[in-house]
Amino acid sequence: MTIEAFLASLHIVAILTLVVFLSSEAALCRSEWMNEAVVRRLARLDMIYGITALVLLLTGIARIVWGAKGLTWYVS
């Protein structure tokens, strides 16, 4: 049961982090703000967004494989 709680909380943290960094990218994508520093910041935010998306995918798969409900519950 502890692994299920850990995976669920990590999954939710990944979802919230994904939303935060995606909204940060959207806020920085204004034409009047575009300069070299903003483009570097956008690249860094996009890298963090990609890592978070990967963590979200992996925790989702881990919840299916090692979670309390198991694969049969999700596929049925």
Side-chain angles (χ1 to χ4, degrees):
M1 194 62 171
T2 306
I3 189 82
E4 175 67 24
F6 176 72
L7 288 174
S9 61
L10 191 61
H11 195 70
I12 290 173
V13 166
I15 290 170
L16 293 175
T17 306
L18 199 74
V19 169
V20 166
F21 282 100
L22 188 61
S23 60
S24 297
E25 284 186 16
L28 281 176
C29 285
R30 298 198 178 174
S31 60
E32 61 269 4
W33 290 359
M34 278 299 155
N35 59 29
E36 188 178 336
V38 171
V39 172
R40 279 196 307 265
R41 188 174 294 147
L42 278 171
R44 192 174 8 190
L45 287 175
D46 196 45
M47 182 185 63
I48 295 170
Y49 174 77
I51 291 169
T52 305
L54 182 65
V55 168
L56 180 68
L57 182 67
L58 291 176
T59 55
I61 291 171
R63 288 186 73 190
I64 289 173
V65 173
W66 295 308
K69 294 178 183 175
L71 180 65
T72 57
W73 187 84
Y74 289 107
V75 197
S76 64

